Amino acid sequence: MSQQMQSNERVTQRYDEYLMPIWKSLNVPIRRAEGCLVEDLDGNEYLDVFSGISVTNVGHGNDAVVDAAKTQLEEFVHGCSYVHPNQPVADLAERLADVTPGDLQKSFFCNSGTEAVEGAVKLARKHTGSKEVVALEMGFHGRTLGSLALTGNHTYKHEMGPTINDAVHAPAPYRYRWANNGSDATFAARTAAEIEHVIGTHTSDDLAAIVVEPVMGEGGIIVPPEGWLERVQEIAHEHDALLIVDEVQTGYGRTGELFASEHFDVVPDILTQAKGIANGLPLGAFTASAEIADAFEAGDHLSTFGGNPVACAAALATIDELQDGIVENAREQGAWLADRLAELEAEFDAVGETRGLGLMQGVELVDPSETGPRGIAPAPDKALAGSIAAELRELGIIMGVGGYYKNVMRFQPPLTIDRDNLDRTVETLRRAIAAETDDE
């Protein structure tokens, strides 16, 4: 292939010409990646602190994961794992029964997070005999029509409706913008009570499930207060419904525990997984107790490519790698990172709040001269976040931007990242904020 064909410009031109126009560029095409570093087609190197939207948790090109996939490739690639039982699928299902919380035992493997969420809702409906689902405003659960109904953001739904019509939304536990007084316990109780209110006013009392992220990712790295998730599960059970905890983004060590729900006194009724499960190979799953899972009968659900043996082999290696010190690194480095980001909050008026768990941290950028929604916190500054992300790329760092208002800088690096690279990232972000706000 010619040098022209391998350039950043050439590959993006072909994207424009041959791909449907929904691709979203971070302006960093990738030719190769290793650890926490990626290289574009023009030979520029970047420190990746977004890891493909929280996917390559054990590092790009992890040797153990690559070797496991190669070994399975040499055996066989496909036979449809729900028609031809095979060892990688059986081994991974048994492993998930061991590492997921509580009595979660039986899994269904699919290809992505959105499929995992839709499958979990189907299972909840079959088990309970009910149909309605409550999700959260600003939550994100996917973009296919079923999961899109649960996603609480009009940006993703514009001109895409109607979706399934038995989903309603309750306020998220977003304290920075929804409440600035009272204790965390009071806020947790009040926000959970809003879910009860929504059930009472927007459903026909036919509730199958409440679906929540234990830490909201796309919504802006929102960590609920202590006691909130526990009360949400109680509300679900009081209505003979299930709690589905969406760990697609928070799972596999991201928050300093293998699953974010382990930070709370909750065992989900159904747990959805994807993203970090196989370190970049396409795989999703949802896992439930045997009692709930056995509501499914033959033919109730299926996936031609779900549980691909190559992806499952990679997932087994990923779990081994995570449990061999990488989750602990995420916990330790995340605590250090949280302290450093809190210093930015104290230093800059444009940093409204920093928050997160483990190596899932957010920096909410604001315009301190204007008051934001509900008159509680300063206005979100989407433009500043976009400018800073662009400046970071110029300085060799890839960082995501998210949040309902698109004003939250997202730290979600490979969990193998070391202190020096985290320090480089924070210091570069500090300089970028100072430069963009003239606040030296």
Side-chain angles (χ1 to χ4, degrees):
M1 185 177 290
S2 70
Q3 185 63 39
Q4 180 187 14
M5 292 290 287
Q6 295 184 43
S7 70
N8 289 345
E9 181 180 6
R10 178 58 181 154
V11 76
T12 55
Q13 284 176 346
R14 284 183 290 159
Y15 261 58
D16 286 335
E17 188 169 356
Y18 298 113
L19 270 72
M20 292 187 185
I22 50 98
W23 66 283
K24 184 177 178 180
S25 177
L26 285 174
N27 295 323
V28 182
I30 294 179
R31 179 172 63 177
R32 63 167 58 94
E34 181 177 359
C36 296
L37 301 176
V38 301
E39 182 183 324
D40 69 15
L41 284 84
D42 293 338
N44 303 303
E45 189 174 82
Y46 300 84
L47 174 61
D48 181 10
V49 293
F50 199 35
S51 54
I53 317 180
S54 199
V55 168
T56 53
N57 288 8
V58 298
H60 291 287
N62 180 284
D63 287 342
V65 176
V66 171
D67 288 345
K70 284 181 177 178
T71 298
Q72 182 56 41
L73 277 167
E74 293 171 353
E75 297 293 328
F76 74 101
V77 175
H78 172 76
C80 185
S81 294
Y82 296 107
V83 176
H84 299 284
N86 59 79
Q87 185 171 342
V89 171
D91 288 348
L92 180 58
E94 182 178 14
R95 190 68 176 276
L96 290 188
D98 178 56
V99 301
T100 52
D103 63 349
L104 302 181
Q105 179 182 338
K106 294 190 176 183
S107 295
F108 179 92
F109 295 114
C110 49
N111 306 284
S112 66
T114 193
E115 292 176 63
V117 170
E118 292 201 15
V121 170
K122 283 182 66 175
L123 177 59
R125 285 178 162 184
K126 185 73 185 293
H127 175 76
T128 63
S130 297
K131 299 295 181 286
E132 295 172 318
V133 183
V134 173
L136 297 184
E137 296 170 356
M138 304 187 303
F140 184 85
H141 301 286
R143 305 184 200 224
T144 51
L145 284 177
S147 60
L148 186 62
L150 307 177
T151 293
N153 189 330
H154 73 90
T155 300
Y156 305 112
K157 298 181 178 183
H158 182 61
E159 297 182 333
M160 299 296 176
T163 58
I164 62 172
N165 61 1
D166 291 320
V168 296
H169 292 81
Y174 188 9
R175 178 156 192 180
Y176 178 67
R177 295 211 171 271
W178 295 169
N180 60 2
N181 53 36
S183 67
D184 281 349
T186 298
F187 177 69
R190 189 173 74 191
T191 312
E194 290 289 337
I195 294 177
E196 185 70 72
H197 177 74
V198 165
I199 294 170
T201 57
H202 292 277
T203 76
S204 62
D205 199 25
D206 189 36
L207 190 65
I210 300 175
V211 184
V212 299
E213 301 161 89
V215 178
M216 297 178 76
E218 181 69 17
I221 319 296
I222 298 170
V223 183
E226 183 178 352
W228 179 83
L229 191 58
E230 293 85 343
R231 178 57 188 145
V232 172
Q233 184 168 53
E234 289 175 357
I235 291 170
H237 291 174
E238 288 165 5
H239 289 269
D240 298 320
L242 304 182
L243 176 67
I244 299 174
V245 175
D246 182 345
E247 295 253 21
V248 167
Q249 191 165 148
T250 55
Y252 293 91
R254 173 57 53 192
T255 65
E257 298 289 348
L258 196 60
F259 295 99
S261 50
E262 295 177 85
H263 291 280
F264 309 98
D265 189 19
V266 164
V267 174
D269 297 307
I270 307 177
L271 181 75
T272 68
Q273 307 136 66
K275 289 191 181 290
I277 188 173
N279 207 51
L281 276 76
L283 184 65
F286 56 99
T287 306
S289 67
E291 177 188 1
I292 293 171
D294 287 347
F296 267 169
E297 301 172 87
D300 278 347
H301 205 51
L302 196 70
S303 171
T304 299
F305 295 110
N308 173 272
V310 178
C312 288
L316 284 161
T318 297
I319 295 171
D320 285 342
E321 291 289 284
L322 287 166
Q323 292 185 322
D324 191 25
I326 292 177
V327 175
E328 182 178 354
N329 186 67
R331 187 182 310 124
E332 293 177 357
Q333 302 296 357
W336 179 89
L337 177 60
D339 288 342
R340 285 296 312 275
L341 295 180
E343 294 173 5
L344 297 184
E345 182 180 337
E347 182 177 358
F348 297 106
D349 291 339
V351 177
E353 184 178 56
T354 60
R355 53 184 179 255
L357 289 174
L359 286 175
M360 186 175 184
Q361 300 284 334
V363 177
E364 177 150 359
L365 299 175
V366 299
D367 181 350
S369 68
E370 297 185 17
T371 301
R374 302 198 180 194
I376 292 172
D381 199 332
K382 174 182 176 179
L384 177 60
S387 295
I388 287 176
E391 176 67 14
L392 290 175
R393 287 194 297 273
E394 289 296 316
L395 297 171
I397 294 176
I398 301 169
M399 184 178 294
V401 175
Y404 178 77
Y405 302 103
K406 308 301 181 190
N407 68 316
V408 179
M409 310 304 300
R410 295 166 64 179
F411 280 77
Q412 294 172 277
L415 307 183
T416 54
I417 195 167
D418 60 24
R419 185 68 53 82
D420 287 345
N421 277 320
L422 277 179
D423 186 61
R424 171 192 165 190
T425 304
V426 175
E427 182 56 28
T428 304
L429 176 62
R430 191 198 70 78
R431 293 199 306 269
I433 295 172
E436 291 291 333
T437 61
D438 296 320
D439 191 4
E440 293 284 1

